[in-house]
Amino acid sequence: MKIAIIGCGNMGMAFARAFLKFDLVKKEDFLMVEKSEDRMDSLNSFQPGVISGVIGPQIGEYDLIILSVKPQDFTPVSQALREVVKPHQVILSIMAGVTIERIQNSLEHKAVIRAMPNTPAMLGMGITAYSASPEVDINQLRKIENLINATGRSVFLEDEDQLNAVTALSGSGPAYFFYVVKAMIEAGKQMGFEESVAALLVKQTMLGSFHLINTADKSLDELIKAVASKGGTTEAALGQFEAGHLNETLKNGIIAAQVRSTELSKG
C-alpha cells in the first residue's frame, strides 16, 4: 500500500514511524506533506520517504491519504486536495471533531474513515477508535485496521457519533492521567520529598498498578479494597476523595469533554 500523510505533527509522525518500524510500507511508497518549515527540517533528518511542502498531483498515486492536520486547517487543505484526489483512494482522517459527512462533502469523495487515536500512539501503545463510510469495502477496512494497530490497539465503531465520546474518554484521557500524577507528585513535595523522588514513587506506583489491573483476576472495587484496610491510611485518603466528590468531578469533566467534542463536530 502506498501512503500519503498530510500534516506531520505528533500524530502524523507517530503513524509514520509505526508503519516504517513494522515494515508496513516502503520508504519509496511514503509521501509526507508538511507546510511548516521547522517540521520540514525534522522530516529531512528523519527521511521517512518522499517529502513535499504542497498538495500536488502526485497525491493521486497513493492508495491511502491520511489527514492529520489541525481541524481548523481542514478547509484550505480540502480545497487543494479536492483537485487531486482519485476515486480509488481511501481517506483516513485523524482530525478531532471533523465528521465523515463533512469530509465527503468537502472533498467530493465517498470512501472515508474517521479515527480518534491518542498520544500513547507515539510509543506504539495507543488506542484508536474508528468508523467508516459504507463506500469503504471490507478488504480496505482490514488493511487500514492493520496499519492502525501498528500504533497500539484499535476498536471499530459502527456509530460514528460515538467517536465524540471516544475523544472525551481515551483521546483526552492521557491528560486526565497526567493531571492525577501531577497532583500526587505535588502532594509528595508538600510532605518533604524532592521532586525527583516523589516523581519516581508516583510513576512506578502508576506503572505497577496498571499491570495489576491487567493481570489480577479482581474487579477495580476489589483491588481498592485490598489496599484500603479498615481504619487505615488509604481509607483516610479515600474519605477525603469522597468528601470532595472527586469521582463525580472526574466523570463530569469527561462528559464536558464529550459535549465540547459534539459541538466541534457540528462546526
Side-chain angles (χ1 to χ4, degrees):
M1 181 176 280
K2 297 183 70 173
I3 300 173
I5 298 182
I6 300 176
C8 303
N10 289 335
M11 294 311 304
M13 289 301 296
F15 274 59
R17 292 179 189 279
F19 299 163
L20 291 170
K21 177 181 177 181
F22 293 104
D23 295 320
L24 296 174
V25 60
K26 298 176 182 177
K27 280 193 175 185
E28 58 266 30
D29 292 333
F30 220 151
L31 172 66
M32 307 289 286
V33 181
E34 176 56 58
K35 67 177 182 178
S36 165
E37 291 185 7
D38 290 340
R39 290 205 186 107
M40 283 286 280
D41 290 340
S42 297
L43 284 174
N44 285 320
S45 62
F46 176 43
Q47 295 184 332
V50 181
I51 301 169
S52 176
V54 296
I55 297 172
Q58 78 272 34
I59 289 282
E61 302 171 9
Y62 293 81
D63 304 300
L64 174 66
I65 300 172
I66 299 177
L67 291 176
S68 61
V69 299
K70 294 178 180 178
Q72 58 266 35
D73 293 336
F74 175 59
T75 296
V77 166
S78 67
Q79 291 169 350
L81 187 57
R82 184 172 59 238
E83 302 301 319
V84 295
V85 69
K86 303 295 184 183
H88 73 278
Q89 295 177 304
V90 177
I91 305 295
L92 169 61
S93 167
I94 56 175
M95 299 181 294
V98 182
T99 64
I100 288 175
E101 183 180 18
R102 182 184 168 193
I103 296 168
Q104 289 176 319
N105 292 338
S106 297
L107 298 181
E108 298 177 357
H109 187 81
K110 293 298 182 184
V112 176
I113 295 172
R114 177 185 168 195
M116 185 68 245
N118 61 7
T119 53
M122 293 187 286
L123 302 176
M125 298 183 70
I127 179 69
T128 300
Y130 65 101
S131 294
S133 67
E135 291 80 8
V136 180
D137 68 44
I138 189 65
N139 289 327
Q140 291 171 322
L141 202 59
R142 284 174 177 167
K143 287 179 181 178
I144 291 166
E145 180 183 44
N146 189 45
L147 290 169
I148 291 173
N149 283 341
T151 66
R153 301 183 67 178
S154 65
V155 57
F156 176 74
L157 300 175
E158 291 187 8
D159 182 2
E160 183 195 353
D161 288 342
Q162 288 186 310
L163 285 173
N164 293 320
V166 170
T167 301
L169 191 61
S170 59
S172 300
Y176 314 149
F177 181 84
F178 303 149
Y179 188 91
V180 171
V181 169
K182 181 181 177 183
M184 291 178 68
I185 292 172
E186 289 296 325
K189 289 165 63 178
Q190 286 184 29
M191 292 186 290
F193 291 112
E194 293 291 333
E195 183 171 358
S196 59
V197 176
L200 175 62
L201 289 167
V202 173
K203 288 189 284 187
Q204 187 60 33
T205 297
M206 289 294 186
L207 180 63
S209 300
F210 161 76
H211 285 292
L212 273 177
I213 291 172
N214 259 9
T215 59
D217 188 23
K218 293 181 179 179
S219 68
L220 289 172
D221 284 336
E222 288 172 327
L223 288 171
I224 292 171
K225 188 176 180 180
V227 182
S229 56
K230 190 70 175 177
T233 57
T234 308
E235 188 177 73
L238 294 176
Q240 282 294 306
F241 297 160
E242 290 297 322
H245 305 289
L246 178 59
N247 185 288
E248 290 300 316
T249 298
L250 286 171
K251 288 191 290 186
N252 288 339
I254 294 168
I255 291 168
Q258 179 192 18
V259 170
R260 181 58 179 153
S261 179
T262 302
E263 290 172 351
L264 291 172
S265 69
K266 292 178 180 178

